Amino acid sequence: MKKSEADAGGRRSGACVWRLALLVPAWLALLAPLPANAHRQTVQGERSGLEIAGLTHGEMAVIAGYAPAIRAAAQSQMRTDPTFRRLANFAALQRTYCLWGLMPGSVADEDSPFNACMHAYLSALRALLVHMRDMPGRQDAALKLDQEMTRELERNAAFNVICQFSSESFNTAEVIMPEWRDIARHPPSLLAAGGVVVALGAAGAALFRRPGAHPRRSR
C-alpha cells in the first residue's frame, strides 16, 4: 500500500472513531436525571394542537402489530389535508423519540421508561387511521385495516386491560418524551443502553486495529 493511500485510510478510520466516540457521551447524557415534567415538551411554533384519545394497554399491543401497515397506507395517501399532516408528523416525531420502538418492553411493559412515549405514538397512529377512513384515495385500505384490528380486539377481552396511561389523552402540540432518568431503574432498558455503548466501543477498537489504520512511516 502506498503511503498516501495508507494515510488516507488512517484519516478515514480516525474520523469514524471520532464520530463513534461522540455518540457514546451523547447516549450516556440521556441517562442523566431530568426534572419530573421534562417528558412533555411543546412542539416549537405550535400554540394549539389536535386532541388524540388514548388507548388501553391491550390496544397498544394490537396497533403495534399493525403499525407498519398503517404507516404504509399513510405514505401511499396521494391527497392530504391539515389534520392528516399534523397527525402523521406527530406520529413520526413520537416514533423517533421512542427510538423506533426498539427498546425492550416499550409496548408491553408498563414500567418501561418508553411506555408513555409509545402510548402517544400508537394513539396517534390509531387517530391517523380513523381519519384516513374518511379521506379520498385510501379509504378501502384504511377501512380494511380498521376492521381487522376491531375484530382482533373483539376476539380477546384481555386487550381491554388498562394501564396508568390508558385514561390519558394526547395533543399534537405536545411531544411525550421517554423518561430518561428511569432507564437506570429498568433493567431491560439499562442492558440495551449498555449494549449500545459496548458495541460502539468495540467498533471503535476494531477500527483502530484495522490494517493501515496506523501506517508505518517510511524511513
Side-chain angles (χ1 to χ4, degrees), residues 1-13 212-218:
M1 180 183 292
K2 296 181 180 179
K3 183 177 185 298
S4 59
E5 294 177 351
D7 289 342
R11 286 194 296 269
R12 286 194 296 270
S13 297
H214 297 285
R216 297 179 178 177
R217 295 182 179 179
S218 58

Side-chain angles (χ1 to χ4, degrees), residues 7-76:
D7 289 342
R11 286 194 296 269
R12 286 194 296 270
S13 297
C16 291
V17 171
W18 275 110
R19 292 192 187 99
L20 290 171
L22 289 173
L23 287 175
V24 173
W27 180 262
L28 291 175
L30 297 180
L31 305 182
L34 294 175
N37 61 350
H39 73 290
R40 286 183 175 266
Q41 293 189 1
T42 302
V43 178
Q44 186 176 4
E46 287 204 38
R47 296 182 179 179
S48 62
L50 300 175
E51 289 293 324
I52 299 174
L55 303 169
T56 66
H57 194 64
E59 287 173 335
M60 285 178 62
V62 175
I63 295 175
Y66 283 92
I70 298 174
R71 293 196 303 268
Q75 290 170 0
S76 63

Side-chain angles (χ1 to χ4, degrees), residues 130-144:
V130 170
H131 182 69
M132 284 193 296
R133 293 184 314 187
D134 300 323
M135 293 182 64
R138 295 292 297 174
Q139 283 181 324
D140 292 343
L143 283 170
K144 182 179 178 180

Side-chain angles (χ1 to χ4, degrees), residues 17-218:
V17 171
W18 275 110
R19 292 192 187 99
L20 290 171
L22 289 173
L23 287 175
V24 173
W27 180 262
L28 291 175
L30 297 180
L31 305 182
L34 294 175
N37 61 350
H39 73 290
R40 286 183 175 266
Q41 293 189 1
T42 302
V43 178
Q44 186 176 4
E46 287 204 38
R47 296 182 179 179
S48 62
L50 300 175
E51 289 293 324
I52 299 174
L55 303 169
T56 66
H57 194 64
E59 287 173 335
M60 285 178 62
V62 175
I63 295 175
Y66 283 92
I70 298 174
R71 293 196 303 268
Q75 290 170 0
S76 63
Q77 180 73 32
M78 300 300 294
R79 295 182 181 180
T80 64
D81 58 30
T83 298
F84 174 91
R85 290 190 291 273
R86 293 178 82 173
L87 289 172
N89 290 339
F90 179 76
L93 187 61
Q94 282 292 160
R95 182 170 180 249
T96 301
Y97 275 113
C98 297
L99 301 184
W100 305 278
L102 298 177
M103 296 299 285
S106 57
V107 174
D109 188 354
E110 185 179 351
D111 294 327
S112 168
F114 293 85
N115 189 250
C117 178
M118 284 296 291
H119 200 118
Y121 161 58
L122 295 172
S123 296
L125 271 190
R126 170 64 170 163
L128 180 63
L129 178 62
V130 170
H131 182 69
M132 284 193 296
R133 293 184 314 187
D134 300 323
M135 293 182 64
R138 295 292 297 174
Q139 283 181 324
D140 292 343
L143 283 170
K144 182 179 178 180
L145 281 174
D146 187 61
Q147 289 170 355
E148 289 179 1
M149 287 193 303
T150 300
R151 285 195 295 268
E152 187 169 349
L153 288 168
E154 290 175 347
R155 283 196 299 266
N156 195 333
F159 291 145
N160 294 321
V161 174
I162 63 174
C163 68
Q164 60 178 322
F165 304 112
S166 295
S167 60
E168 186 173 0
S169 62
F170 305 97
N171 192 291
T172 57
E174 192 173 48
V175 176
I176 306 300
M177 303 288 290
E179 293 281 8
W180 303 115
R181 62 178 185 162
D182 290 340
I183 289 180
R185 294 192 290 269
H186 188 250
S189 297
L190 185 60
L191 287 173
V196 171
V197 174
V198 170
L200 291 175
L207 286 173
F208 272 122
R209 290 196 299 267
R210 281 181 56 190
H214 297 285
R216 297 179 178 177
R217 295 182 179 179
S218 58

